[in-house]
Amino acid sequence: MIILSGGTGTPKLLVGIKKVFKEEELNIIVNTAEDVWISGNLVCPDIDSVLYALAGVIDKNTWWGIKDDSFYTYNTLKRLNHGEPMMIGDKDRATHIIRSELLREGKSLTETTAVLARSFGIHDKIRILPMTDEPAIVSTMILTSEGELHFQEFWVAQKGEPDVFDVTFEGIEKAKPSEAVIQVLEKESDALVLIGPSNPITSIGPILALRGIKELLRWKIVAAISPIIGTEAVSGPAGKFMRAKGFEVSPYGVLKYYEEFLDVLVIDKNDKCPVNTGVDVLKTDIMIKKDRDSKRLALFLKRNIMK
Ligand code: GDP
């Protein structure tokens, strides 16, 4: 199975997927368009959430960062007039330091991610693949009532409040999917592609916008889990972004966004989605509050999609 992942929703689901599927079946392609260099280190929010979720150390209140972390370095830097654009915990920062040192030694982002996964004790058969090997080459920019803002500036500093008019991926035309990503999509020709319940526009969108990816997906069986329940995103700014891009904020809007290659959409048991769209719509409880919800959803996928 090939899983496309952003942060929050998909890492939540990975907790259950890890229990239900064999490790060697898991190839996780992760968004890197929100990556930023902060205080000399490369922060990869979505890769970090995937690593921490699979290692069982993620903070399950926020679904980013490491549980029980402290913020001594962040607070000390702030006192010394070096405010950082996002709160970085001390343990979390250790990941960024190791990643950046390895990158400076000449390792690729794919290799550094594999080293980190091993250090966190994640089974070495699980492949975590950054969408591209070029660090921070793509930046997600949000055109807002306050001007054009980097995604992190919009979401963290401005708390997602400004009106949104458009979302663009700066640098996407120069970015290449990593060799490992292309290889997994080409070689695992009969593997199912599962698009996790992440932000369609800013988490999955950049992966889809990389050269050649959509063409490869058209030949595969692609299933997605809706990150929208009812008429709202479960969390985060996905609703605002979908509206800005002209999509309805509903499971049907998600279907339309992925329409050109989507075969199956999993929506919430209380939601509706028009039939005769050419996409099979399956219903179940897709809200993940506890690990057991994640396992139940992973089992549902195994029984209903992998059969
Ligand atoms: P961001 O938070 O919008 O930047 O994007 P992420 O890719 O990190 O993931 C957030 C997405 O996950 C949002 O669109 C949420 O609606 C979705 N999400 C979070 N928790 C759940 C959940 O329990 N179930 C489902 N179906 N989606 C979820």
Side-chain angles (χ1 to χ4, degrees), residues 6-9 12 151 197-199 203 226-227 233-238 286-288:
T8 325
K12 277 185 184 177
F151 175 85
S198 285
N199 190 323
S203 295
S226 176
V234 178
S235 62
I286 60 168
M287 182 69 95
I288 305 168

Side-chain angles (χ1 to χ4, degrees), residues 1-2 27 29 127 129 178-193 216-217 219-220:
M1 175 159 64
I2 300 165
N27 301 281
I29 301 177
R127 304 219 290 156
L129 306 175
S178 77
E179 265 173 44
V181 163
I182 292 295
Q183 206 188 21
V184 91
L185 282 168
E186 279 178 349
K187 291 244 169 81
E188 308 265 329
S189 54
D190 49 1
L192 173 96
V193 176
L216 285 168
L217 291 185
W219 295 99
K220 309 190 87 70

Side-chain angles (χ1 to χ4, degrees), residues 86-103:
M86 60 203 310
M87 281 188 78
I88 298 172
D90 297 310
K91 294 180 191 172
D92 191 13
R93 194 181 298 271
T95 303
H96 309 154
I97 291 173
I98 295 169
R99 167 182 300 128
S100 309
E101 282 289 280
L102 292 171
L103 287 171

Side-chain angles (χ1 to χ4, degrees), residues 153-225:
E153 224 175 319
F154 165 76
W155 186 238
V156 184
Q158 304 260 358
K159 301 189 173 63
E161 282 163 4
D163 290 337
V164 174
F165 307 127
D166 201 6
V167 177
T168 54
F169 308 126
E170 215 174 85
I172 194 80
E173 48 324 307
K174 287 181 280 166
K176 289 194 305 285
S178 77
E179 265 173 44
V181 163
I182 292 295
Q183 206 188 21
V184 91
L185 282 168
E186 279 178 349
K187 291 244 169 81
E188 308 265 329
S189 54
D190 49 1
L192 173 96
V193 176
L194 181 70
I195 302 182
S198 285
N199 190 323
I201 311 289
T202 50
S203 295
I204 306 299
I207 304 176
L208 301 176
L210 287 171
R211 226 174 301 152
I213 297 291
K214 278 190 187 165
E215 287 69 24
L216 285 168
L217 291 185
R218 276 194 203 110
W219 295 99
K220 309 190 87 70
I221 297 181
V222 182
I225 297 158

